[in-house]
Structures are given as structure tokens and as C-alpha cells.
Amino acid sequence: MTTPIASAEKKETVRSPAQWVTLSYAAVFLLVGAAGFIPGITTGYDTLQFAGHHSEAMLFGIFQVSALHNIVHVLYGLVGVALARSATSARHFLLWGGVVYLGLWLYGLIIDTDSVANFVPLNTADDWLHLGLGVTMIALSFLRRESRHARSIR
């Protein structure tokens, strides 16, 4: 029999490895998206465009960014936080997010960086980052659904 006091106690939240990884990626996406709007962290900030390859703003002096690029990172981070609530949705975020990043990597390899097709904008550093993100996110989507702690308390 459960007493009212015991039932009022909060249950311990146990997150799966996939949920922790998703929260980590989401936090980085949020930080990077916000950093893209901070002069100094983003060099050439005065050249920041909403979209397109004419933006010469460079996050950390390496990655070409635009306002659209930064907004997408923030939105990606918010989606990651929301999907980290369950192990299954966290794994889907990692898997499908990784697929999207591999698609961006291929897109960056195919397009001419000086063309209007480069609306994101992308440069070589972005391409390598997108490859790394795509591969690691897909690989990490195969993490266990449960934490070891969750299995041991059953």
C-alpha cells in the first residue's frame, strides 16, 4: 500500500545514454546558434547577411554563417531539447539529424560556393563539420534505450 506521503515524493528521473547525448548536442547547437550573433565570437559580424553566400561573417573565424544559419542552429537545439524527453525520440533526433547533416555535407560538396544555391552559406570548414556531425549523430543513435541504472532498479 502506498501512503499519500510516499506517492507525493518525486520519482527519480533516469535518462538513457541517447537522451544525455541528445541534450549535449542540443546545448551545443543552442550555444553555437547564439554565438553566431555575437560580434567578436563571429568575425566580420558587420557583413552578416540574413541568407546567402555574400555573408562573410565567420563563427570563431572559421565557419561561414548567416542569420538564417544561426537561427537554424537555435531551432535545431530547441528540437533536440524537446526530443530528449524520451529515449526513443532522442534516438530519432540523433538518427534523422545525422541524416540531415550528411545531406548538408553532400550539398556543400556539390554546389558552387559562389552560387545562389549556397543560401545557407557553406564553406569547406562547414562541410567537414557537417560530415563529422552526421557520422557521429547516426552512430550515437544506436546507443542503448535505457540506462544501466534504470534496468537495475526494476
Side-chain angles (χ1 to χ4, degrees):
M1 178 173 193
T2 306
T3 64
I5 294 172
S7 65
E9 291 178 21
K10 290 185 179 181
K11 288 186 175 181
E12 180 182 337
T13 301
V14 179
R15 290 189 173 95
S16 72
Q19 287 173 283
W20 283 114
V21 170
T22 295
L23 281 172
S24 299
Y25 271 80
V28 171
F29 286 128
L30 288 168
L31 289 171
V32 165
F37 290 111
I38 301 173
I41 294 175
T42 300
T43 59
Y45 187 80
D46 56 329
T47 67
L48 185 73
Q49 302 283 314
F50 178 75
H53 66 281
H54 295 294
S55 180
E56 294 180 21
M58 304 288 266
L59 181 61
F60 307 121
I62 300 169
F63 304 103
Q64 189 175 9
V65 294
S66 66
L68 177 62
H69 204 151
N70 297 334
I71 291 167
V72 168
H73 282 126
V74 169
L75 292 175
Y76 225 66
L78 292 172
V79 168
V81 169
L83 293 178
R85 290 181 169 204
S86 82
T88 300
S89 61
R91 290 177 62 179
H92 283 284
F93 172 80
L94 293 169
L95 176 63
W96 296 109
V99 168
V100 167
Y101 272 106
L102 286 181
L104 273 173
W105 169 65
L106 288 172
Y107 185 73
L109 295 178
I110 294 168
I111 62 161
D112 178 5
T113 56
D114 291 326
S115 74
V116 294
N118 190 13
F119 66 94
V120 176
L122 302 169
N123 64 10
T124 302
D126 289 306
D127 294 340
W128 283 105
L129 178 62
H130 293 155
L131 173 62
L133 285 170
V135 169
T136 59
M137 289 176 78
I138 290 171
L140 291 168
S141 75
F142 292 99
L143 287 169
R144 291 186 317 275
R145 290 181 195 265
E146 299 180 337
S147 72
R148 288 186 179 139
H149 179 68
R151 282 185 280 175
S152 68
I153 60 175
R154 284 194 210 178

